[in-house]
Amino acid sequence: MPKSWIALVFPNGGKGAYGQFDRSKYMICLSQQLYKSLKSGEVFSPKAIKYNDPRAKMLESEVWNSIKHEVMTSLQLPKIAKIYVEQQSQRLHLRLVSLAKTIGSNPDVTLKLSNEHINVSVTPLEAIPLQATQLELNNAITERLPEIGLPELMLELNARTGFIDALLEPEHARQESTEQNHQKADNEFVSVPAKRRYATDLETSIAAILLAEGCNIGLKSVSQEFNPSLRLDRLERVKAQYFTADSIRHANQCLVAYHSQQALTQQWGGGEVASADGIRFIVPAKNLAAQANSKYFGSKRGITFYTLVSDQFTQINGTVIPGTMRDSLYLLASLLEQDTKLEPKEIMTDTAGYSDVIFGLFHLLGFCFSPRLKDIGKARFWRIDRKADYGQIDKLVRHPINTGLITDQWDEVMRLVGSLKLGKLKATDVTRVVARNGTLSGLGRAIEEIGRINKTMYLCEYLEDETYRRRIHTQLNHGELRNDTARTIFHGRKGKIYKHYQKGLEEQLGALALVVNAVVVWNTDYMSRIIGLLYEMGLEVLDEDIARVTPLKTRHIRVLGEFNFNLHPDVIDGDLRPLRDPNAFIGLEDLDAGIPFNNELLEIE
C-alpha cells in the first residue's frame, strides 16, 4: 500500500479497536493499484482481452523446438546467433563503405558539422513533369470510359468475378474456397462458385447494401418498395444475415485475385510492394473506438482507417484504429493478417510511428520496411566494427551495436518471431511482450539492436539512391490518391460515420474498401480494352506511359442521384459494354449543354 493511502485507510494510525480500518477507502486503494499493475504489465487477467498475458500466447518451448528448423528456414535465418551477427556485420560494413565513397559526389546529400557531430540532409524530390504522350494516353482513356452508375458497376463486375457471390457464401464454404485458392498455381484464377440459396436475387440486395454502406447514405436511400429485392425490410434481413467483416474480406479476396491476373495490372506492379496510410473519419455517435483529437476532428471524436494498398492499386487489408494512433505495429498486424493472393515483401509508409524495434521485427519476418523520412538529420547511424574507418562519415556512424545482447537473446527472439509468423501471437501484443512500464526488456533490447543494424542499411540506401526515394514517394502517392477516391464515394452525411460499435465501423469501412476495389477492377478491365483499341488503331503506346496512368478514376461513375439496379442484357453474362466515342465530346452543342471536357490529370508524383 502506498504511503499516501495509509493515513486514509488507517485514520487512527492503526491504534484502537474502533475506526482503525476504513474498508471503503481500502477498496478504492486496491482498485487503483490493481489498475496500475494491469497497465504496467505486472499483473495479468487470463480471461481478459486487453490485460491478458501475451507471453502465454507464444509457442511453448517444446512445440517451438519441434518446428524451429522449418520456420527459420522459411525466414532464411540461421540457427546460430554468431553466424547471423557475422552476416549482418559484413552487410552493414559494405553498405557503410559504399556510402562513404559516394556521399561526397552526391549533390542531393549535404553533411553539416554541428557540436563536433555530423548531421545529414537530403534535397527534396522534384516532381517529374508529365510528357505529352502520357497526357494523350490519359485523355484517350478518360474520353472512352463508359459512363455508368455505381450499382450497375458492381452487378456487372459480379457477373465477371463472382465477388458478390463470394460474400454470400456460408462460413464453411468460404474457408474451403480460401484453401482451394491457396493450393492453385499463381497463374490460375479461381472463380468462386455460386451457392444455391433459399432467397432469390440476393446479388441485387447485396449490391444495394454495399452502395448504402460504401456511400454512407443509409438503406432507405437505396430501398424501393415496388422491387422485392430492394424492399427495406428485405435489405435489413439480408444485411443481418450475410453482411459481416469476414464475408466482406472474402469478397475482397476474390476481387484482388481476379485483378492481379490482368496484363495491365502487371505493368503497374507484381504485388510485392505495398504502402500503408490512414484515412480519418469523424464519429459523432458515442463509440468506444472514437477518440478526441482537435487537430483532425475539432470538438468531435474520430477514428483512423489504416489501409494497406498494393502497387496494383487494390487494398489488401484495413484496420480500424482508435483516434489517430500512428503505431507501426498496426501496420505489421495488417500485413501478417492479410489473406489475399498478393504477398507484399516491401512496405512503405510515412515517418510517423517507426522505431528501431519495428525495423527489427520487419527484417526478422522477411519484410523490407521503407518509411519516407521527413527529417533524416535526427536519425542515428550505427556500426558493428568499432575500429573501421569510414572516412567523412566516420563521425556520423558513431553509435556501436551491442552484438552480445543479440547473441544472448537469440533463441527467445526466434521464438517470438515464430509465434508471430504462425499467428499464435498478434503483432499488436508485441509491445506488452518486449516492454514493461515503458522500458524494453532484454528481449526487446535485442530486437532493437537488430533493428538498428537494418535501419542503418536502409538509411544508407535512402541517401545513395534517388530512384529508391522516388519509388517510396510514388507508392505513397498511390495510397493518397486512393484515399481521395474513397472520400469521393463516401459522400453521405458529410463523410461522418454514425456507428455505435466497433463491429459496425469495421463492416462499413470494409464495404467502402470493397466498393473502391470494385471501381479499380472495373476501370482496369475497360482500360485494358481501350489500350488494345489504341494498338489496333496503329497508335504507339509506351510502357512507361501505361505505368503512370491510374485506375482510380471516378468522373464517369455516377454516385449521386437515382440508382439503377437493372443490367443491360448485353452485359448480364459478364461481357463488356461499348466504349464511349471521344468525338462525342467535340462540338459547340456539347459546350452549350454544359458537358465538360474530360481533362482528368494523371497521378502527380
Coordinates of all heavy atoms in Angstrom, one line a residue, residues 554-594:
T554 N -13.0 8.4 -61.3 CA -14.4 8.3 -60.9 C -15.4 9.3 -61.7 O -16.6 9.3 -61.4 CB -14.5 8.7 -59.4 OG1 -13.9 9.9 -59.1 CG2 -13.9 7.6 -58.6
R555 N -14.8 10.1 -62.6 CA -15.7 11.1 -63.2 C -16.8 10.5 -64.1 O -17.8 11.1 -64.3 CB -14.8 12.1 -64.1 CG -13.9 13.0 -63.3 CD -13.3 14.0 -64.2 NE -12.4 14.9 -63.4 CZ -11.8 16.0 -63.9 NH1 -11.9 16.2 -65.2 NH2 -11.1 16.8 -63.1
H556 N -16.5 9.3 -64.6 CA -17.5 8.6 -65.4 C -18.5 7.8 -64.6 O -19.4 7.2 -65.2 CB -16.8 7.7 -66.4 CG -15.9 6.7 -65.8 ND1 -14.8 7.0 -65.1 CD2 -16.1 5.4 -65.7 CE1 -14.2 5.9 -64.6 NE2 -15.0 4.9 -65.0
I557 N -18.3 7.8 -63.3 CA -19.2 6.9 -62.4 C -20.1 7.8 -61.6 O -19.7 8.8 -61.0 CB -18.3 6.1 -61.4 CG1 -17.3 5.2 -62.2 CG2 -19.2 5.3 -60.5 CD1 -16.3 4.5 -61.3
R558 N -21.4 7.5 -61.7 CA -22.4 8.3 -61.0 C -22.6 7.7 -59.6 O -23.0 6.6 -59.4 CB -23.8 8.2 -61.8 CG -23.7 8.8 -63.2 CD -25.1 8.8 -63.8 NE -25.7 7.5 -64.0 CZ -25.4 6.7 -65.0 NH1 -24.6 7.1 -66.0 NH2 -25.9 5.5 -65.1
V559 N -22.3 8.6 -58.6 CA -22.5 8.2 -57.2 C -23.6 9.0 -56.6 O -23.9 8.8 -55.4 CB -21.2 8.4 -56.4 CG1 -20.1 7.4 -57.0 CG2 -20.7 9.8 -56.5
L560 N -24.3 9.9 -57.3 CA -25.3 10.7 -56.8 C -26.6 10.5 -57.7 O -26.5 10.0 -58.8 CB -24.9 12.2 -56.8 CG -23.7 12.6 -56.0 CD1 -23.4 14.1 -56.3 CD2 -24.0 12.4 -54.5
G561 N -27.7 10.9 -57.1 CA -29.0 10.8 -57.9 C -29.7 9.5 -57.7 O -29.4 8.7 -56.7
E562 N -30.6 9.1 -58.6 CA -31.3 7.9 -58.6 C -30.4 6.7 -59.0 O -29.6 6.9 -59.9 CB -32.6 8.0 -59.4 CG -33.6 9.0 -58.9 CD -34.8 9.0 -59.8 OE1 -34.9 8.2 -60.7 OE2 -35.7 9.8 -59.4
F563 N -30.6 5.6 -58.4 CA -29.8 4.4 -58.7 C -30.6 3.4 -59.5 O -31.7 3.1 -59.2 CB -29.3 3.8 -57.4 CG -28.5 4.8 -56.6 CD1 -28.9 5.2 -55.4 CD2 -27.2 5.2 -57.0 CE1 -28.2 6.1 -54.6 CE2 -26.5 6.1 -56.3 CZ -27.0 6.5 -55.0
N564 N -29.9 2.8 -60.5 CA -30.5 1.8 -61.3 C -29.8 0.5 -61.0 O -28.6 0.4 -61.1 CB -30.3 2.2 -62.8 CG -30.8 1.1 -63.7 OD1 -31.7 0.3 -63.4 ND2 -30.2 0.9 -64.9
F565 N -30.6 -0.6 -60.7 CA -30.1 -1.9 -60.4 C -30.4 -2.9 -61.5 O -30.3 -4.1 -61.2 CB -30.6 -2.3 -59.0 CG -30.1 -1.6 -57.9 CD1 -30.7 -0.4 -57.4 CD2 -29.0 -2.0 -57.2 CE1 -30.3 0.3 -56.3 CE2 -28.5 -1.3 -56.1 CZ -29.1 -0.1 -55.7
N566 N -30.7 -2.4 -62.6 CA -31.0 -3.3 -63.7 C -29.9 -3.3 -64.8 O -29.6 -2.2 -65.3 CB -32.3 -2.9 -64.4 CG -33.5 -3.1 -63.4 OD1 -33.6 -4.0 -62.7 ND2 -34.4 -2.1 -63.5
L567 N -29.3 -4.5 -65.1 CA -28.3 -4.6 -66.0 C -28.8 -4.7 -67.4 O -29.9 -5.3 -67.7 CB -27.3 -5.7 -65.7 CG -26.3 -5.6 -64.6 CD1 -25.5 -6.9 -64.5 CD2 -25.4 -4.4 -64.9
H568 N -28.1 -4.1 -68.4 CA -28.5 -4.3 -69.8 C -28.2 -5.8 -70.2 O -27.2 -6.4 -69.8 CB -27.6 -3.4 -70.7 CG -28.1 -3.3 -72.1 ND1 -27.8 -4.2 -73.1 CD2 -28.9 -2.3 -72.7 CE1 -28.3 -3.8 -74.2 NE2 -29.0 -2.7 -74.0
P569 N -29.0 -6.3 -71.1 CA -28.9 -7.8 -71.4 C -27.5 -8.1 -72.0 O -27.0 -9.2 -71.9 CB -30.0 -8.0 -72.5 CG -31.0 -7.0 -72.1 CD -30.3 -5.8 -71.6
D570 N -26.9 -7.1 -72.7 CA -25.6 -7.3 -73.3 C -24.4 -7.6 -72.3 O -23.4 -8.1 -72.7 CB -25.2 -6.1 -74.2 CG -26.1 -6.0 -75.4 OD1 -26.8 -7.0 -75.7 OD2 -26.1 -4.9 -76.0
V571 N -24.6 -7.1 -71.1 CA -23.5 -7.3 -70.1 C -23.9 -8.2 -68.9 O -23.2 -8.3 -68.0 CB -23.0 -5.9 -69.6 CG1 -22.5 -5.1 -70.7 CG2 -24.2 -5.2 -68.9
I572 N -25.1 -8.8 -69.0 CA -25.6 -9.5 -67.9 C -24.8 -10.8 -67.6 O -24.8 -11.4 -66.5 CB -27.1 -9.8 -68.0 CG1 -27.7 -10.2 -66.7 CG2 -27.3 -10.9 -69.1 CD1 -29.2 -10.3 -66.7
D573 N -24.1 -11.3 -68.7 CA -23.3 -12.5 -68.6 C -21.8 -12.2 -68.4 O -21.0 -13.1 -68.6 CB -23.5 -13.4 -69.9 CG -24.9 -13.9 -69.9 OD1 -25.5 -14.2 -68.9 OD2 -25.5 -14.0 -71.1
G574 N -21.5 -11.0 -68.2 CA -20.1 -10.6 -67.9 C -19.4 -10.0 -69.0 O -18.1 -9.7 -68.9
D575 N -20.0 -9.7 -70.2 CA -19.4 -9.1 -71.3 C -19.2 -7.6 -71.0 O -19.8 -7.0 -70.1 CB -20.2 -9.2 -72.5 CG -20.4 -10.7 -73.0 OD1 -19.4 -11.4 -72.7 OD2 -21.4 -11.1 -73.5
L576 N -18.3 -7.0 -71.8 CA -18.0 -5.5 -71.6 C -19.0 -4.7 -72.4 O -19.4 -5.1 -73.5 CB -16.6 -5.2 -72.0 CG -15.5 -5.9 -71.2 CD1 -14.1 -5.4 -71.6 CD2 -15.6 -5.6 -69.7
R577 N -19.4 -3.6 -71.9 CA -20.3 -2.7 -72.7 C -19.5 -1.8 -73.7 O -18.2 -1.8 -73.6 CB -21.0 -1.8 -71.7 CG -20.1 -0.9 -70.9 CD -21.0 -0.1 -69.8 NE -21.6 -1.0 -68.9 CZ -22.8 -0.8 -68.3 NH1 -23.5 0.3 -68.7 NH2 -23.3 -1.7 -67.5
P578 N -20.1 -1.2 -74.6 CA -19.4 -0.4 -75.6 C -18.7 0.8 -75.0 O -19.1 1.3 -74.0 CB -20.5 0.1 -76.6 CG -21.6 -0.9 -76.4 CD -21.6 -1.3 -74.9
L579 N -17.5 1.1 -75.6 CA -16.8 2.3 -75.1 C -17.4 3.6 -75.6 O -18.2 3.5 -76.6 CB -15.3 2.2 -75.6 CG -14.5 1.0 -75.2 CD1 -13.2 1.0 -75.9 CD2 -14.4 0.9 -73.7
R580 N -17.2 4.6 -75.0 CA -17.7 5.9 -75.4 C -16.9 6.4 -76.6 O -15.7 6.1 -76.8 CB -17.5 7.0 -74.3 CG -18.6 6.9 -73.3 CD -18.6 8.1 -72.4 NE -17.3 8.2 -71.6 CZ -17.0 9.2 -70.8 NH1 -17.9 10.2 -70.7 NH2 -15.9 9.2 -70.2
D581 N -17.5 7.2 -77.5 CA -16.9 7.7 -78.6 C -16.3 9.1 -78.3 O -17.0 10.0 -77.8 CB -17.9 7.9 -79.8 CG -17.3 8.5 -81.0 OD1 -16.0 8.6 -81.1 OD2 -18.0 8.8 -82.0
P582 N -14.9 9.2 -78.3 CA -14.3 10.5 -77.9 C -14.8 11.7 -78.8 O -14.8 12.8 -78.3 CB -12.8 10.3 -78.1 CG -12.7 9.1 -79.1 CD -13.9 8.3 -78.8
N583 N -15.2 11.4 -80.0 CA -15.7 12.5 -80.9 C -17.0 13.1 -80.3 O -17.4 14.2 -80.7 CB -15.9 12.0 -82.3 CG -14.6 11.6 -82.9 OD1 -13.6 12.1 -82.7 ND2 -14.7 10.5 -83.7
A584 N -17.7 12.4 -79.5 CA -18.9 12.9 -78.9 C -18.7 14.1 -78.0 O -19.6 14.9 -77.7 CB -19.7 11.9 -78.1
F585 N -17.4 14.3 -77.6 CA -17.1 15.5 -76.7 C -16.6 16.7 -77.5 O -16.2 17.6 -76.9 CB -16.0 15.0 -75.7 CG -16.5 14.0 -74.8 CD1 -16.4 12.6 -75.1 CD2 -17.0 14.4 -73.6 CE1 -16.9 11.7 -74.2 CE2 -17.5 13.4 -72.7 CZ -17.4 12.1 -73.0
I586 N -16.7 16.7 -78.8 CA -16.3 17.8 -79.6 C -17.5 18.4 -80.3 O -18.2 17.7 -81.0 CB -15.2 17.3 -80.7 CG1 -14.0 16.6 -80.0 CG2 -14.8 18.5 -81.5 CD1 -13.0 16.1 -81.0
G587 N -17.7 19.7 -80.1 CA -18.8 20.4 -80.7 C -19.4 21.4 -79.8 O -19.4 21.3 -78.6
L588 N -19.9 22.5 -80.4 CA -20.5 23.6 -79.7 C -21.7 23.2 -78.9 O -22.0 23.7 -77.8 CB -20.8 24.8 -80.6 CG -19.6 25.4 -81.3 CD1 -20.1 26.5 -82.2 CD2 -18.7 26.0 -80.2
E589 N -22.5 22.2 -79.5 CA -23.7 21.8 -78.8 C -23.4 21.1 -77.4 O -24.2 21.3 -76.5 CB -24.5 20.8 -79.7 CG -23.8 19.5 -79.9 CD -22.9 19.6 -81.1 OE1 -22.6 20.7 -81.6 OE2 -22.3 18.5 -81.5
D590 N -22.2 20.5 -77.3 CA -21.8 19.9 -76.1 C -21.5 21.0 -75.1 O -21.8 20.9 -73.9 CB -20.7 18.9 -76.2 CG -21.1 17.7 -77.0 OD1 -22.3 17.4 -77.0 OD2 -20.2 17.0 -77.6
L591 N -20.8 22.0 -75.5 CA -20.4 23.1 -74.6 C -21.6 23.8 -74.1 O -21.8 24.2 -73.0 CB -19.5 24.1 -75.4 CG -18.1 23.5 -75.8 CD1 -17.3 24.6 -76.5 CD2 -17.3 23.0 -74.6
D592 N -22.6 24.0 -75.0 CA -23.9 24.7 -74.6 C -24.6 23.9 -73.6 O -25.3 24.4 -72.7 CB -24.7 24.9 -75.9 CG -24.1 26.0 -76.8 OD1 -23.2 26.7 -76.3 OD2 -24.4 26.0 -78.0
A593 N -24.5 22.6 -73.7 CA -25.2 21.7 -72.8 C -24.5 21.6 -71.5 O -25.0 20.9 -70.5 CB -25.4 20.3 -73.4
G594 N -23.3 22.1 -71.3 CA -22.6 22.1 -70.1 C -21.9 20.8 -69.9 O -21.5 20.5 -68.7

